[in-house]
Amino acid sequence: MASKRIEKSQKEILIAFIKSFFLSRKLSDYISAISNKLLNEGIVSVETNSIEELKKNFLFLTKYNPILALSENFLYEVAVCLTLYSQILFRYHAPSLNILFLIEGDYLVVQYIRTQAQLLLGSKHNVKFVKIFELSEKMFLKPNIDLLITNYSVYVSDFNLTKDYILLKQVPDRKDWRRILDKINYLAENPL
């Protein structure tokens, strides 16, 4: 994948958001420590889906709590909130990906896939559709392609792909689109 780093201006915005997070938690703690308490469902969700990040955040808060001076009683809940908040921020401010679609099939099926891709991905990512006559192995060597999506397995085998790719069914279903979104989220969270 091409090196995708968060731009300096975005880093400054993220730093401001993280500082505001800690300020709001500190104010909540100061006014009434119990206001940092969370519902159990939120905690379980983060423990289920993001346990490693939660552990890191909790260790960070434990280490720096002498400076932060947050109530020990709700430090774990603050770590859960920090985990959710950072995931939101980093997904929202993650760099756009360059996604290349190589789609074969009936004209209406291709247009359906194109429409779905634009609706699901086009507002955040750079989505490009390539026709068969535009295709070359050289295209796959370009460093600015982050993800290749195709519904034709011959492309995968013929071009010795080193790029991340997803092979769809001839007509993608919900599971295919979910796989695409999961892969894009993974790439956004792991930019290098």
Side-chain angles (χ1 to χ4, degrees), residues 6 10 20 28 30 56 58 66 72 77 92 97 100 105 137 139 154 158 164:
I6 295 174
Q10 292 293 311
S20 70
S28 295
Y30 181 74
K56 289 176 187 176
F58 185 66
E72 296 284 334
E77 281 90 342
Y92 185 77
L97 298 175
L100 182 67
E137 194 161 356
M139 183 176 290
V154 173
D158 281 358
D164 278 324

Side-chain angles (χ1 to χ4, degrees), residues 11-43:
K11 281 183 186 177
E12 291 170 6
I13 291 169
L14 290 174
I15 289 169
F17 276 119
I18 294 294
K19 285 180 178 179
S20 70
F21 170 82
F22 284 114
L23 178 62
S24 70
R25 291 298 145 183
K26 183 62 184 165
L27 286 172
S28 295
D29 189 67
Y30 181 74
I31 294 168
S32 175
I34 198 154
S35 61
N36 280 325
K37 179 91 175 113
L38 293 178
L39 294 174
N40 195 43
E41 292 84 3
I43 295 170

Side-chain angles (χ1 to χ4, degrees), residues 123-152:
S123 64
K124 172 71 177 160
H125 302 286
N126 305 311
V127 177
K128 182 176 181 181
F129 282 81
V130 177
K131 296 181 173 124
I132 188 69
F133 63 85
E134 301 172 324
L135 190 61
S136 70
E137 194 161 356
K138 193 176 186 180
M139 183 176 290
F140 297 114
L141 301 175
K142 292 182 178 180
N144 62 343
I145 297 173
D146 299 307
L147 180 62
L148 169 71
I149 300 173
T150 185
N151 66 347
Y152 193 52

Side-chain angles (χ1 to χ4, degrees), residues 31-183:
I31 294 168
S32 175
I34 198 154
S35 61
N36 280 325
K37 179 91 175 113
L38 293 178
L39 294 174
N40 195 43
E41 292 84 3
I43 295 170
V44 170
S45 175
V46 172
E47 288 174 339
T48 303
N49 299 312
S50 305
I51 191 66
E52 292 305 315
E53 187 177 349
L54 174 58
K55 287 177 184 177
K56 289 176 187 176
N57 287 335
F58 185 66
L59 287 172
F60 172 84
L61 290 173
T62 303
K63 180 178 179 180
Y64 290 100
N65 201 36
I67 297 167
L68 298 168
L70 294 168
S71 171
E72 296 284 334
N73 295 336
F74 301 106
L75 202 58
Y76 189 76
E77 281 90 342
V78 173
V80 170
C81 290
L82 178 59
T83 303
L84 288 171
Y85 190 70
S86 61
Q87 287 176 348
I88 292 166
L89 285 177
F90 289 121
R91 281 209 179 134
Y92 185 77
H93 291 279
S96 296
L97 298 175
N98 295 312
I99 303 170
L100 182 67
F101 276 83
L102 299 171
I103 303 298
E104 285 293 315
D106 177 73
Y107 173 77
L108 289 176
V109 170
V110 172
Q111 291 307 312
Y112 166 76
I113 295 169
R114 176 175 265 191
T115 303
Q116 286 293 101
Q118 289 297 337
L119 286 172
L120 290 171
L121 312 172
S123 64
K124 172 71 177 160
H125 302 286
N126 305 311
V127 177
K128 182 176 181 181
F129 282 81
V130 177
K131 296 181 173 124
I132 188 69
F133 63 85
E134 301 172 324
L135 190 61
S136 70
E137 194 161 356
K138 193 176 186 180
M139 183 176 290
F140 297 114
L141 301 175
K142 292 182 178 180
N144 62 343
I145 297 173
D146 299 307
L147 180 62
L148 169 71
I149 300 173
T150 185
N151 66 347
Y152 193 52
S153 62
V154 173
Y155 294 145
V156 174
S157 58
D158 281 358
F159 289 105
N160 296 324
L161 293 179
T162 58
K163 303 278 182 199
D164 278 324
Y165 70 90
I166 295 177
L167 180 61
L168 306 174
K169 293 179 190 75
Q170 196 62 34
V171 179
D173 60 14
R174 285 181 176 216
K175 288 181 184 177
D176 283 324
W177 292 110
R178 178 80 255 157
R179 285 178 35 235
I180 291 170
L181 293 174
D182 288 345
K183 183 67 166 185

